[in-house]
């Protein structure tokens, strides 16, 4: 089946007149008739019945018309899309971001990218840090922004961006919201049930540090998004343990507890040796060139050495 055959049939169905259909399709009437005959042979029955001036669709023709219309529209859409991509008017960049990283940290870079590539289509995928490497490996993401701890594939190129401390986060009306002293805070949060992001990766040393101050995450609630964490906090279910940039808003209180000695490293990752589209290269450059230590977006405690 060829698309021009489908187009000719749709035109005849519209006009119920072979002469007008041929004029609309800019083709001779015999050529249009031959094309429709070939289409009928392929479909195994007559689509159009000609009875003098009473040209009309057969039962098969009526049933096939909406299906062939959809095929024709899809083919036109595909052709338009392919032309836009070929001309550089439209491109797709898939960015995988771990659950524990707030996208607001990277909005400026994405905005600059959108200015440089006006036709770009950005697709964001979320997942635990351990799954993002698999998305890159399978070619389902162009760039990943994540903690590098769980990314172990040797073909990944990883550029550290920054690290930041974890903080205890409580809702504004929580009894701990007025606790300003870190020494008092660690005593107050000890033995509480926490909420953490699913897929949280901790080193053995970090786990030991938490145990030493009386924080047990074995029974912690786990959520897949920052919004879900906020919902549990609002309901008074557990204290949140999350990176410092998470939930920076008036209704929550962050308790900075240095003795936790718990930090999140954030890096940008791509696959080494794989063809990289210009949009991915541009985003990579924007993120690597940014002075994260001086960033006003979030108060980072130190930049990771490259």
């Amino acid at each position: 089946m060829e698309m021009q055959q489908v187009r000719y049939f749709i035109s005849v169905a519209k006009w119920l007149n072979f002469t007008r259909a041929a004029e609309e399709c800019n083709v001779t009437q015999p050529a249009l008739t031959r094309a429709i005959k070939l289409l009928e042979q392929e479909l195994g029955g007559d689509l159009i019945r000609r009875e003098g001036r009473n040209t009309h669709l057969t039962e098969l023709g009526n049933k096939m018309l909406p299906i062939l219309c959809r095929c024709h529209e899809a083919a036109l859409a595909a052709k338009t899309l392919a032309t836009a991509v070929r001309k550089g008017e439209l491109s797709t960049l898939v960015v995988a971001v771990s659950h524990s990283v707030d996208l607001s940290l990277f909005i400026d870079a994405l905005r600059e990218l959108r200015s440089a590539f006006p036709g770009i289509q950005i697709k964001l995928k979320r997942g635990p840090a351990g799954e993002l490497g698999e998305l890159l490996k399978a070619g389902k993401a162009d760039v990943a922004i994540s903690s590098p701890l769980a990314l172990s594939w040797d073909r990944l190129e990883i550029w550290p961006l920054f690290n930041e401390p974890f903080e205890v986060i409580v809702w504004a009306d929580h009894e701990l919201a007025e606790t300003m002293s870190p020494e008092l805070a660690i005593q107050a949060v000890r033995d509480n049930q926490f909420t953490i992001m699913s897929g949280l990766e901790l080193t053995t040393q970090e786990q030991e540090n938490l145990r030493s101050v009386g924080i047990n995450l074995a029974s912690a609630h786990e959520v897949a998004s920052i919004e879900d964490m906020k919902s549990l906090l609002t309901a008074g279910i557990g204290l949140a343990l999350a990176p410092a940039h998470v939930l920076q808003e008036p209704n929550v209180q962050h308790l900075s507890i240095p003795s936790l000695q718990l930090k999140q490293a954030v890096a940008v990752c791509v696959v080494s040796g794989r063809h990289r589209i210009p949009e991915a290269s541009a985003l990579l450059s924007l993120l690597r060139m940014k002075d994260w230590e001086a960033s006003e977006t979030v108060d980072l405690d130190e930049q990771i050495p490259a």
Side-chain angles (χ1 to χ4, degrees):
M1 183 187 302
E2 297 180 2
M3 279 303 110
Q4 73 173 17
Q5 297 170 343
V6 173
R7 181 165 65 92
Y8 295 168
F9 166 66
I10 292 172
S11 184
V12 173
K14 172 185 173 183
W15 294 107
L16 294 179
N17 185 295
F18 277 73
T19 300
R20 286 190 177 182
E23 291 174 354
E24 181 180 66
C25 296
N26 195 28
V27 66
T28 65
Q29 187 173 328
L32 180 138
T33 301
R34 283 195 300 272
I36 291 180
K37 284 296 182 183
L38 289 172
L39 181 61
E40 289 176 326
Q41 291 173 15
E42 187 167 351
L43 294 177
D46 291 341
L47 299 173
I48 300 167
R49 185 172 291 117
R50 302 176 71 174
E51 297 176 349
R53 295 184 178 181
N54 184 27
T55 298
H56 58 276
L57 298 184
T58 64
E59 181 181 359
L60 177 62
N62 279 309
K63 289 182 177 179
M64 293 302 301
L65 180 59
I67 298 173
L68 294 178
C69 282
R70 289 195 293 271
C71 289
H72 186 246
E73 290 168 1
L76 289 178
K79 184 176 181 180
T80 300
L81 178 61
T83 300
V85 172
R86 187 172 62 252
K87 292 181 178 180
E89 297 171 357
L90 178 65
S91 58
T92 300
L93 177 68
V94 183
V95 183
V97 185
S98 64
H99 288 315
S100 61
V101 174
D102 194 326
L103 192 64
S104 64
L105 294 173
F106 306 95
I107 286 298
D108 288 344
L110 294 177
R111 187 181 293 115
E112 289 187 50
L113 190 69
R114 178 67 175 77
S115 297
F117 300 93
I120 192 172
Q121 178 189 34
I122 299 173
K123 292 187 177 182
L124 294 173
K125 294 188 176 183
R126 286 284 191 174
E131 294 180 4
L132 301 193
E134 292 302 315
L135 290 178
L136 288 172
K137 187 175 182 179
K140 296 180 179 179
D142 300 300
V143 180
I145 301 172
S146 173
S147 164
L149 187 62
L151 305 178
S152 57
W153 189 33
D154 58 7
R155 281 194 58 195
L156 290 182
E157 291 185 69
I158 301 174
W159 287 276
L161 300 177
F162 59 81
N163 62 25
E164 59 179 329
F166 273 63
E167 295 180 342
V168 174
I169 307 174
V170 299
W171 199 245
D173 60 0
H174 195 280
E175 61 182 6
L176 294 177
E178 300 302 321
T179 303
M180 302 303 294
S181 167
E183 291 76 16
L184 291 177
I186 196 63
Q187 294 294 329
V189 302
R190 184 173 293 167
D191 299 325
N192 271 275
Q193 190 172 20
F194 283 86
T195 296
I196 60 174
M197 301 298 298
S198 59
L200 176 64
E201 298 282 349
L202 299 177
T203 65
T204 303
Q205 184 60 53
E206 288 171 337
Q207 294 175 20
E208 180 58 36
N209 290 341
L210 289 175
R211 282 193 293 267
S212 69
V213 297
I215 293 179
N216 179 15
L217 298 183
S219 61
H221 308 299
E222 293 190 14
V223 294
S225 71
I226 294 172
E227 282 302 312
D228 288 344
M229 179 175 283
K230 179 180 177 179
S231 296
L232 291 188
L233 283 178
T234 305
I237 302 175
L239 310 179
L241 185 64
H245 71 266
V246 170
L247 292 175
Q248 288 286 347
E249 54 184 77
N251 291 327
V252 298
Q253 177 73 44
H254 284 242
L255 303 176
S256 177
I257 307 176
S259 56
L260 285 179
Q261 298 182 34
L262 180 61
K263 298 176 182 178
Q264 171 176 260
V266 177
V268 58
C269 315
V270 296
V271 178
S272 176
R274 182 177 292 173
H275 172 71
R276 193 176 304 155
I277 61 175
E279 293 80 358
S281 297
L283 179 59
L284 185 61
S285 297
L286 286 169
L287 296 179
R288 293 184 64 196
M289 290 189 301
K290 183 178 177 64
D291 185 358
W292 292 100
E293 192 172 16
S295 172
E296 296 180 359
T297 305
V298 64
D299 183 19
L300 305 171
D301 68 329
E302 64 177 301
Q303 190 173 16
I304 302 175

mmCIF file with all atom_site columns, all heavy atoms in Angstrom, residues 1 31 93 103 143 202-203 206 221 223 226 234 256 259 282 287 289 305:
data_model
loop_
_atom_site.group_PDB
_atom_site.id
_atom_site.type_symbol
_atom_site.label_atom_id
_atom_site.label_alt_id
_atom_site.label_comp_id
_atom_site.label_asym_id
_atom_site.label_entity_id
_atom_site.label_seq_id
_atom_site.pdbx_PDB_ins_code
_atom_site.Cartn_x
_atom_site.Cartn_y
_atom_site.Cartn_z
_atom_site.occupancy
_atom_site.B_iso_or_equiv
_atom_site.pdbx_formal_charge
_atom_site.auth_seq_id
_atom_site.auth_comp_id
_atom_site.auth_asym_id
_atom_site.auth_atom_id
_atom_site.pdbx_PDB_model_num
ATOM 1   N N   . MET A 1 1   ? 0.838  -1.188 0.000   1.00 0.00 ? 1   MET A N   1
ATOM 2   C CA  . MET A 1 1   ? 0.000  0.000  0.000   1.00 0.00 ? 1   MET A CA  1
ATOM 3   C C   . MET A 1 1   ? 0.881  1.248  0.000   1.00 0.00 ? 1   MET A C   1
ATOM 4   O O   . MET A 1 1   ? 1.781  1.369  0.830   1.00 0.00 ? 1   MET A O   1
ATOM 5   C CB  . MET A 1 1   ? -0.899 0.013  1.243   1.00 0.00 ? 1   MET A CB  1
ATOM 6   C CG  . MET A 1 1   ? -1.864 1.190  1.305   1.00 0.00 ? 1   MET A CG  1
ATOM 7   S SD  . MET A 1 1   ? -2.743 1.251  2.881   1.00 0.00 ? 1   MET A SD  1
ATOM 8   C CE  . MET A 1 1   ? -3.549 -0.346 2.894   1.00 0.00 ? 1   MET A CE  1
ATOM 9   N N   . ALA A 1 31  ? -4.568 7.728  -14.211 1.00 0.00 ? 31  ALA A N   1
ATOM 10  C CA  . ALA A 1 31  ? -3.559 7.372  -13.207 1.00 0.00 ? 31  ALA A CA  1
ATOM 11  C C   . ALA A 1 31  ? -4.213 7.203  -11.836 1.00 0.00 ? 31  ALA A C   1
ATOM 12  O O   . ALA A 1 31  ? -3.873 6.295  -11.069 1.00 0.00 ? 31  ALA A O   1
ATOM 13  C CB  . ALA A 1 31  ? -2.478 8.442  -13.153 1.00 0.00 ? 31  ALA A CB  1
ATOM 14  N N   . LEU A 1 93  ? 16.008 15.933 23.598  1.00 0.00 ? 93  LEU A N   1
ATOM 15  C CA  . LEU A 1 93  ? 17.056 15.662 24.571  1.00 0.00 ? 93  LEU A CA  1
ATOM 16  C C   . LEU A 1 93  ? 16.420 14.999 25.784  1.00 0.00 ? 93  LEU A C   1
ATOM 17  O O   . LEU A 1 93  ? 15.515 15.565 26.407  1.00 0.00 ? 93  LEU A O   1
ATOM 18  C CB  . LEU A 1 93  ? 17.750 16.963 25.003  1.00 0.00 ? 93  LEU A CB  1
ATOM 19  C CG  . LEU A 1 93  ? 18.828 16.815 26.086  1.00 0.00 ? 93  LEU A CG  1
ATOM 20  C CD1 . LEU A 1 93  ? 20.030 16.049 25.544  1.00 0.00 ? 93  LEU A CD1 1
ATOM 21  C CD2 . LEU A 1 93  ? 19.265 18.180 26.606  1.00 0.00 ? 93  LEU A CD2 1
ATOM 22  N N   . LEU A 1 103 ? 14.996 19.725 40.502  1.00 0.00 ? 103 LEU A N   1
ATOM 23  C CA  . LEU A 1 103 ? 15.233 20.266 39.162  1.00 0.00 ? 103 LEU A CA  1
ATOM 24  C C   . LEU A 1 103 ? 15.486 21.766 39.179  1.00 0.00 ? 103 LEU A C   1
ATOM 25  O O   . LEU A 1 103 ? 16.106 22.304 38.262  1.00 0.00 ? 103 LEU A O   1
ATOM 26  C CB  . LEU A 1 103 ? 14.042 19.953 38.254  1.00 0.00 ? 103 LEU A CB  1
ATOM 27  C CG  . LEU A 1 103 ? 14.246 20.190 36.766  1.00 0.00 ? 103 LEU A CG  1
ATOM 28  C CD1 . LEU A 1 103 ? 15.331 19.260 36.216  1.00 0.00 ? 103 LEU A CD1 1
ATOM 29  C CD2 . LEU A 1 103 ? 12.951 19.999 36.004  1.00 0.00 ? 103 LEU A CD2 1
ATOM 30  N N   . VAL A 1 143 ? 21.669 12.291 28.930  1.00 0.00 ? 143 VAL A N   1
ATOM 31  C CA  . VAL A 1 143 ? 22.435 12.851 30.042  1.00 0.00 ? 143 VAL A CA  1
ATOM 32  C C   . VAL A 1 143 ? 21.748 12.437 31.334  1.00 0.00 ? 143 VAL A C   1
ATOM 33  O O   . VAL A 1 143 ? 20.520 12.349 31.391  1.00 0.00 ? 143 VAL A O   1
ATOM 34  C CB  . VAL A 1 143 ? 22.483 14.399 29.966  1.00 0.00 ? 143 VAL A CB  1
ATOM 35  C CG1 . VAL A 1 143 ? 23.275 14.974 31.131  1.00 0.00 ? 143 VAL A CG1 1
ATOM 36  C CG2 . VAL A 1 143 ? 23.075 14.852 28.634  1.00 0.00 ? 143 VAL A CG2 1
ATOM 37  N N   . LEU A 1 202 ? 23.968 4.972  50.707  1.00 0.00 ? 202 LEU A N   1
ATOM 38  C CA  . LEU A 1 202 ? 24.844 5.452  51.774  1.00 0.00 ? 202 LEU A CA  1
ATOM 39  C C   . LEU A 1 202 ? 26.086 4.574  51.856  1.00 0.00 ? 202 LEU A C   1
ATOM 40  O O   . LEU A 1 202 ? 26.013 3.355  51.685  1.00 0.00 ? 202 LEU A O   1
ATOM 41  C CB  . LEU A 1 202 ? 24.119 5.426  53.127  1.00 0.00 ? 202 LEU A CB  1
ATOM 42  C CG  . LEU A 1 202 ? 22.864 6.293  53.274  1.00 0.00 ? 202 LEU A CG  1
ATOM 43  C CD1 . LEU A 1 202 ? 22.257 6.087  54.647  1.00 0.00 ? 202 LEU A CD1 1
ATOM 44  C CD2 . LEU A 1 202 ? 23.184 7.757  53.042  1.00 0.00 ? 202 LEU A CD2 1
ATOM 45  N N   . THR A 1 203 ? 27.217 5.218  52.087  1.00 0.00 ? 203 THR A N   1
ATOM 46  C CA  . THR A 1 203 ? 28.439 4.448  52.296  1.00 0.00 ? 203 THR A CA  1
ATOM 47  C C   . THR A 1 203 ? 28.382 3.798  53.679  1.00 0.00 ? 203 THR A C   1
ATOM 48  O O   . THR A 1 203 ? 27.573 4.174  54.534  1.00 0.00 ? 203 THR A O   1
ATOM 49  C CB  . THR A 1 203 ? 29.673 5.355  52.205  1.00 0.00 ? 203 THR A CB  1
ATOM 50  O OG1 . THR A 1 203 ? 29.639 6.301  53.291  1.00 0.00 ? 203 THR A OG1 1
ATOM 51  C CG2 . THR A 1 203 ? 29.699 6.101  50.874  1.00 0.00 ? 203 THR A CG2 1
ATOM 52  N N   . GLU A 1 206 ? 28.930 6.390  56.311  1.00 0.00 ? 206 GLU A N   1
ATOM 53  C CA  . GLU A 1 206 ? 27.760 7.234  56.564  1.00 0.00 ? 206 GLU A CA  1
ATOM 54  C C   . GLU A 1 206 ? 26.719 6.495  57.395  1.00 0.00 ? 206 GLU A C   1
ATOM 55  O O   . GLU A 1 206 ? 26.101 7.079  58.297  1.00 0.00 ? 206 GLU A O   1
ATOM 56  C CB  . GLU A 1 206 ? 27.163 7.688  55.229  1.00 0.00 ? 206 GLU A CB  1
ATOM 57  C CG  . GLU A 1 206 ? 28.017 8.735  54.509  1.00 0.00 ? 206 GLU A CG  1
ATOM 58  C CD  . GLU A 1 206 ? 27.537 9.008  53.093  1.00 0.00 ? 206 GLU A CD  1
ATOM 59  O OE1 . GLU A 1 206 ? 26.860 8.137  52.511  1.00 0.00 ? 206 GLU A OE1 1
ATOM 60  O OE2 . GLU A 1 206 ? 27.856 10.086 52.562  1.00 0.00 ? 206 GLU A OE2 1
ATOM 61  N N   . HIS A 1 221 ? 10.241 5.674  56.278  1.00 0.00 ? 221 HIS A N   1
ATOM 62  C CA  . HIS A 1 221 ? 9.309  5.733  55.154  1.00 0.00 ? 221 HIS A CA  1
ATOM 63  C C   . HIS A 1 221 ? 10.115 6.054  53.892  1.00 0.00 ? 221 HIS A C   1
ATOM 64  O O   . HIS A 1 221 ? 11.079 6.815  53.950  1.00 0.00 ? 221 HIS A O   1
ATOM 65  C CB  . HIS A 1 221 ? 8.259  6.831  55.367  1.00 0.00 ? 221 HIS A CB  1
ATOM 66  C CG  . HIS A 1 221 ? 7.552  6.750  56.677  1.00 0.00 ? 221 HIS A CG  1
ATOM 67  N ND1 . HIS A 1 221 ? 6.788  5.666  57.052  1.00 0.00 ? 221 HIS A ND1 1
ATOM 68  C CD2 . HIS A 1 221 ? 7.490  7.635  57.718  1.00 0.00 ? 221 HIS A CD2 1
ATOM 69  C CE1 . HIS A 1 221 ? 6.284  5.884  58.246  1.00 0.00 ? 221 HIS A CE1 1
ATOM 70  N NE2 . HIS A 1 221 ? 6.694  7.055  58.674  1.00 0.00 ? 221 HIS A NE2 1
ATOM 71  N N   . VAL A 1 223 ? 9.830  7.466  49.837  1.00 0.00 ? 223 VAL A N   1
ATOM 72  C CA  . VAL A 1 223 ? 8.994  8.128  48.841  1.00 0.00 ? 223 VAL A CA  1
ATOM 73  C C   . VAL A 1 223 ? 9.781  8.255  47.540  1.00 0.00 ? 223 VAL A C   1
ATOM 74  O O   . VAL A 1 223 ? 11.006 8.276  47.547  1.00 0.00 ? 223 VAL A O   1
ATOM 75  C CB  . VAL A 1 223 ? 8.523  9.527  49.314  1.00 0.00 ? 223 VAL A CB  1
ATOM 76  C CG1 . VAL A 1 223 ? 7.592  9.404  50.502  1.00 0.00 ? 223 VAL A CG1 1
ATOM 77  C CG2 . VAL A 1 223 ? 9.715  10.411 49.651  1.00 0.00 ? 223 VAL A CG2 1
ATOM 78  N N   . ILE A 1 226 ? 9.849  14.371 45.702  1.00 0.00 ? 226 ILE A N   1
ATOM 79  C CA  . ILE A 1 226 ? 9.919  15.416 46.720  1.00 0.00 ? 226 ILE A CA  1
ATOM 80  C C   . ILE A 1 226 ? 8.519  15.845 47.136  1.00 0.00 ? 226 ILE A C   1
ATOM 81  O O   . ILE A 1 226 ? 8.270  16.157 48.311  1.00 0.00 ? 226 ILE A O   1
ATOM 82  C CB  . ILE A 1 226 ? 10.736 16.608 46.185  1.00 0.00 ? 226 ILE A CB  1
ATOM 83  C CG1 . ILE A 1 226 ? 12.202 16.180 45.972  1.00 0.00 ? 226 ILE A CG1 1
ATOM 84  C CG2 . ILE A 1 226 ? 10.678 17.800 47.140  1.00 0.00 ? 226 ILE A CG2 1
ATOM 85  C CD1 . ILE A 1 226 ? 13.051 17.205 45.270  1.00 0.00 ? 226 ILE A CD1 1
ATOM 86  N N   . THR A 1 234 ? 3.551  17.302 55.783  1.00 0.00 ? 234 THR A N   1
ATOM 87  C CA  . THR A 1 234 ? 2.341  18.081 56.057  1.00 0.00 ? 234 THR A CA  1
ATOM 88  C C   . THR A 1 234 ? 1.397  17.313 56.985  1.00 0.00 ? 234 THR A C   1
ATOM 89  O O   . THR A 1 234 ? 0.767  17.900 57.860  1.00 0.00 ? 234 THR A O   1
ATOM 90  C CB  . THR A 1 234 ? 1.603  18.409 54.746  1.00 0.00 ? 234 THR A CB  1
ATOM 91  O OG1 . THR A 1 234 ? 2.501  19.060 53.852  1.00 0.00 ? 234 THR A OG1 1
ATOM 92  C CG2 . THR A 1 234 ? 0.419  19.318 54.990  1.00 0.00 ? 234 THR A CG2 1
ATOM 93  N N   . SER A 1 256 ? 19.994 22.065 60.429  1.00 0.00 ? 256 SER A N   1
ATOM 94  C CA  . SER A 1 256 ? 21.331 21.702 59.997  1.00 0.00 ? 256 SER A CA  1
ATOM 95  C C   . SER A 1 256 ? 22.058 21.049 61.158  1.00 0.00 ? 256 SER A C   1
ATOM 96  O O   . SER A 1 256 ? 22.240 21.661 62.215  1.00 0.00 ? 256 SER A O   1
ATOM 97  C CB  . SER A 1 256 ? 22.089 22.956 59.537  1.00 0.00 ? 256 SER A CB  1
ATOM 98  O OG  . SER A 1 256 ? 23.409 22.631 59.177  1.00 0.00 ? 256 SER A OG  1
ATOM 99  N N   . SER A 1 259 ? 26.926 17.104 62.840  1.00 0.00 ? 259 SER A N   1
ATOM 100 C CA  . SER A 1 259 ? 27.393 15.814 63.327  1.00 0.00 ? 259 SER A CA  1
ATOM 101 C C   . SER A 1 259 ? 26.824 14.632 62.547  1.00 0.00 ? 259 SER A C   1
ATOM 102 O O   . SER A 1 259 ? 27.284 13.506 62.712  1.00 0.00 ? 259 SER A O   1
ATOM 103 C CB  . SER A 1 259 ? 27.054 15.659 64.814  1.00 0.00 ? 259 SER A CB  1
ATOM 104 O OG  . SER A 1 259 ? 25.666 15.820 65.037  1.00 0.00 ? 259 SER A OG  1
ATOM 105 N N   . ALA A 1 282 ? 25.899 20.695 24.719  1.00 0.00 ? 282 ALA A N   1
ATOM 106 C CA  . ALA A 1 282 ? 25.687 22.048 25.243  1.00 0.00 ? 282 ALA A CA  1
ATOM 107 C C   . ALA A 1 282 ? 25.271 22.007 26.704  1.00 0.00 ? 282 ALA A C   1
ATOM 108 O O   . ALA A 1 282 ? 25.777 22.785 27.528  1.00 0.00 ? 282 ALA A O   1
ATOM 109 C CB  . ALA A 1 282 ? 24.625 22.763 24.410  1.00 0.00 ? 282 ALA A CB  1
ATOM 110 N N   . LEU A 1 287 ? 26.542 22.833 32.527  1.00 0.00 ? 287 LEU A N   1
ATOM 111 C CA  . LEU A 1 287 ? 26.599 22.332 33.897  1.00 0.00 ? 287 LEU A CA  1
ATOM 112 C C   . LEU A 1 287 ? 28.025 22.300 34.423  1.00 0.00 ? 287 LEU A C   1
ATOM 113 O O   . LEU A 1 287 ? 28.286 22.606 35.594  1.00 0.00 ? 287 LEU A O   1
ATOM 114 C CB  . LEU A 1 287 ? 25.983 20.936 33.971  1.00 0.00 ? 287 LEU A CB  1
ATOM 115 C CG  . LEU A 1 287 ? 24.485 20.846 33.646  1.00 0.00 ? 287 LEU A CG  1
ATOM 116 C CD1 . LEU A 1 287 ? 24.006 19.399 33.741  1.00 0.00 ? 287 LEU A CD1 1
ATOM 117 C CD2 . LEU A 1 287 ? 23.676 21.733 34.568  1.00 0.00 ? 287 LEU A CD2 1
ATOM 118 N N   . MET A 1 289 ? 30.568 24.215 33.442  1.00 0.00 ? 289 MET A N   1
ATOM 119 C CA  . MET A 1 289 ? 31.155 25.554 33.549  1.00 0.00 ? 289 MET A CA  1
ATOM 120 C C   . MET A 1 289 ? 30.551 26.380 34.682  1.00 0.00 ? 289 MET A C   1
ATOM 121 O O   . MET A 1 289 ? 31.134 27.363 35.109  1.00 0.00 ? 289 MET A O   1
ATOM 122 C CB  . MET A 1 289 ? 30.970 26.307 32.229  1.00 0.00 ? 289 MET A CB  1
ATOM 123 C CG  . MET A 1 289 ? 31.801 25.769 31.082  1.00 0.00 ? 289 MET A CG  1
ATOM 124 S SD  . MET A 1 289 ? 31.750 26.841 29.611  1.00 0.00 ? 289 MET A SD  1
ATOM 125 C CE  . MET A 1 289 ? 30.000 26.853 29.256  1.00 0.00 ? 289 MET A CE  1
ATOM 126 N N   . PRO A 1 305 ? 35.990 18.248 44.190  1.00 0.00 ? 305 PRO A N   1
ATOM 127 C CA  . PRO A 1 305 ? 37.115 18.432 43.262  1.00 0.00 ? 305 PRO A CA  1
ATOM 128 C C   . PRO A 1 305 ? 36.923 17.579 42.028  1.00 0.00 ? 305 PRO A C   1
ATOM 129 O O   . PRO A 1 305 ? 36.473 16.437 42.109  1.00 0.00 ? 305 PRO A O   1
ATOM 130 C CB  . PRO A 1 305 ? 38.326 17.954 44.089  1.00 0.00 ? 305 PRO A CB  1
ATOM 131 C CG  . PRO A 1 305 ? 37.746 17.043 45.132  1.00 0.00 ? 305 PRO A CG  1
ATOM 132 C CD  . PRO A 1 305 ? 36.391 17.600 45.449  1.00 0.00 ? 305 PRO A CD  1
#
